[in-house]
Amino acid sequence: MNVTPESRVKRATIEDVAKLAGVSRQTVSRAVNDKAEIDAETKRRVLDAARSLNYRPSRFARGLIRQDTTTLGLIISDIGNPFFPELASGVLRAAQARDWQVVLYDTGEDPEREVLALSTLAAQADVGAGFLTSPEVFAHAERLGVPFAVLDPGWDAGAAPGVGIDIAGGVRLAVRHLAAAGHRRIGMIDGAAGPHDKRRTSFLAVAEELRLDVGEDDVQSAPRSVEGGAEAIGVLRARKPEITAVFAYNDILAVGAVRGLKAAGVRVPEDFAVVGFDGLPLGELVEPPITSVYVDIRRMGELAVAAAAELLAGRTPEPVVVSPELRVRGSA
Amino acid sequence: MNVTPESRVKRATIEDVAKLAGVSRQTVSRAVNDKAEIDAETKRRVLDAARSLNYRPSRFARGLIRQDTTTLGLIISDIGNPFFPELASGVLRAAQARDWQVVLYDTGEDPEREVLALSTLAAQADVGAGFLTSPEVFAHAERLGVPFAVLDPGWDAGAAPGVGIDIAGGVRLAVRHLAAAGHRRIGMIDGAAGPHDKRRTSFLAVAEELRLDVGEDDVQSAPRSVEGGAEAIGVLRARKPEITAVFAYNDILAVGAVRGLKAAGVRVPEDFAVVGFDGLPLGELVEPPITSVYVDIRRMGELAVAAAAELLAGRTPEPVVVSPELRVRGSA
DNA sequence: TCGGAGCCCGTGAGCGCTCACGGGAGCGCT
DNA sequence: AGCGCTCCCGTGAGCGCTCACGGGCTCCGA
């Protein structure tokens, strides 16, 4: 498994230090963890010996005894997407408050790598949290026996512990906003991996509920990047010229859509409206700023850690869902 | 230290599973790590017992024996700054290639928290990497005995192992570019914590070298945020109305500066030029796109991991410095 | 009938550290 | 002299697991 067979330099043990300093293990331990019951001079001698041997206590041996350090494994899809640093920020903050360690796994939204990450996470961390692309992957986590707090990714997490997002509610806000502005033909730029994504299905459902003239083929899939969004809006408008607004899977795609529109000479929001999802700070910087369904991502991270803590304590965490709100800015 | 005295549920040991399944530890081990020399039926029974007890092998006990898992502690200043996710991306990629774990520490650029992070890192990881605000903090790392690959943050890392940036060279590119466009009075928006930051000193040095009319008070400090940049440009122009261009400490500040200028009705780049540093993807999204000194941040991350690997092997890594290049976009 | 080869399983040892002890040396006190 | 301190320091045990053995069992061919 380990790709690099580099000769790790074998570390000095407490015994080595003890021998060199002419004392016992226990005395070395006392010196290193600066406890009482040790003579100042002895301590200095031991510390010198330790330094000269480049001694550092083994975290494994130490962890075996004082089982007090907790490690959380955080699984994210793509750290290049500003959404995830935002999430990590919340997780990190909450973890630090509890004195937890956080190890990071970036899966690139690849189910295989998710399973892999989950496996190593199970071996390296006490508890996990993060986004998973499918229920199957989560089932894998359960099979491994790792407590895992799922962040609602679009599939219905159902009874899985973690923190959910009221995606349907968020989508409703977005589509309602567009409808209220008079748009009847609204497209969607979809960034989901599978076809059963909640944002997509909610979009279709809300459109039907509002009796808008919207169907399956008003949805255009795209890779989750600015370029993907720009390209998708072009494809969509070529196919459906009557469309006057789009709802984008996330802000990255929305930014791309706006970019694509501007490049095509379409004015936003005068000629065409765009609404995004996530409410990233990034959305405020572009011209026009993106109207978006804001989700308190940092809080999600904090809640995820709280849920993980519950799982670790053997309890089942309270189900929580965060409610998005619409942030009307310039693009719609 | 541990803020939350939550009762961690004590985990089942291999012995518990062995007892329940009516076999020996070794057999349980064989089943769990699916090795040979075990009957299929026995294996199933053991695995059932393990599941019912919610057994997961202790990573500490396991690590004590097979010392094959390497953990890298990554110290960053602020995950909210897009620079760092970019860096983390490179680190993660390189770490994954070596089958390393990455634990993350966000210090908020606070020296105290840096020292704290370094201490826990020393206890939890095999090797560290990241940005440190001062040589003093690095000295702390050395005192702790952790091998640490420093990413050149602005102070002169000198003999410290790690990967440097040719900041002076980068700044030269930026200022030269502005001077070539005819700017004689150039300001700087500084985001550094201390006054001896390389970007600042290089800026002053290059300006003098080019015999520009630039002095100490053409440098305006600002918190590293978009708002900080916007505010700083206002202050700077109020104090020095004759300035026609600024060099910003990083792209975030540059974006803020452009924002501030546009809000004040100043056209960029026609009336005023702005050059940033880092070359973040973000800079391409704003209007006008930010001309910036591009640094290959991901590669820096990869190089940092390589340096860390060298340190771990007991060797001293080759000194490397990455050379920035100017990416001329719209703002200058 | 018996030896040898598989197959399956268990036993001691030890990874590097800390915890709970126990104990010697030195001192002042009765 | 004897007692009881305090101040240091060392010795076993054990955390939970894997590795290197060893050994019983069945089956088969000589």
Side-chain angles (χ1 to χ4, degrees), chain B residues 52 74 108 118 142 144 221 241 328:
Chain B
S52 80
L74 178 62
L118 227 32
E142 283 195 307
L144 286 168
S221 287
V328 179

Side-chain angles (χ1 to χ4, degrees), chain B residues 14 29 33 35 55 57-58 62 65:
Chain B
I14 198 174
S29 176
N33 306 337
K35 293 202 210 158
Y55 169 72
S58 150
R62 196 173 255 178
I65 306 176

